[in-house]
Amino acid sequence: MATVAELKAVLKDTLEKRGVLGHLRAKIRAEVFNALDDQGEKPPPLSHENLLINELIREYLEFNKYKYSASVLAAESGQPAMPLERQFLIKELNIFEDSNAKTVEDGIQTTFMKGSSLQPPR
């Protein structure tokens, strides 16, 4: 029969492999941040440029499934709860979106890499 310590170790390994433990840790960090955050202090008003930058960061975080990081960014920055429309970002950033671009970041990477000695990561 397995000991309690062995059962705990197996449970911990299983939760880590499924990614549940990482999500729980991130959720706890976000909740601690929210509890410590001074709700009376509002973030400074967002400039148009910061709104766009934050939105690109949010899209990156959500694309990579960093849900809790994205929620902390939104709470901390004062970014609107609803993401900006993709077409609005494309127009504001003057990005050409081709049929291969699946996210705004892809379009930006394609735009900046043209004629550059930098190569996109593979």
Side-chain angles (χ1 to χ4, degrees):
M1 180 173 244
T3 66
V4 173
E6 292 171 332
L7 290 174
K8 283 182 182 179
V10 169
L11 180 60
K12 181 181 174 188
D13 288 343
T14 302
L15 292 175
E16 281 180 347
K17 287 178 184 174
R18 292 184 182 173
V20 173
L21 205 52
H23 283 179
L24 288 173
R25 287 180 181 138
K27 180 70 174 166
I28 289 170
R29 272 190 233 101
E31 290 301 324
V32 168
F33 169 77
N34 285 336
L36 295 175
D37 189 30
D38 182 7
Q39 298 298 323
E41 184 180 328
K42 294 183 181 180
L46 280 175
S47 68
H48 183 72
E49 292 81 12
N50 283 347
L51 177 75
L52 295 175
I53 292 167
N54 289 347
E55 193 60 36
L56 290 174
I57 294 169
R58 176 174 29 198
E59 183 172 328
Y60 164 79
L61 293 172
E62 289 177 355
F63 178 80
N64 287 292
K65 309 283 190 258
Y66 302 142
K67 294 182 268 182
Y68 299 111
S69 296
S71 68
V72 170
L73 171 71
E76 201 170 13
S77 68
Q79 194 77 0
M82 291 297 298
L84 299 175
E85 289 187 22
R86 183 181 176 87
Q87 292 304 317
F88 175 77
L89 284 175
I90 290 169
K91 180 182 174 204
E92 288 295 305
L93 297 171
N94 198 23
I95 297 172
F96 170 74
E97 182 179 34
D98 63 10
S99 60
N100 295 328
K102 293 179 181 66
T103 65
V104 172
E105 286 89 355
D106 290 340
I108 290 174
Q109 187 176 29
T110 302
T111 301
F112 285 125
M113 293 301 171
K114 289 179 182 175
S116 171
S117 61
L118 298 174
Q119 293 301 314
R122 296 180 190 252

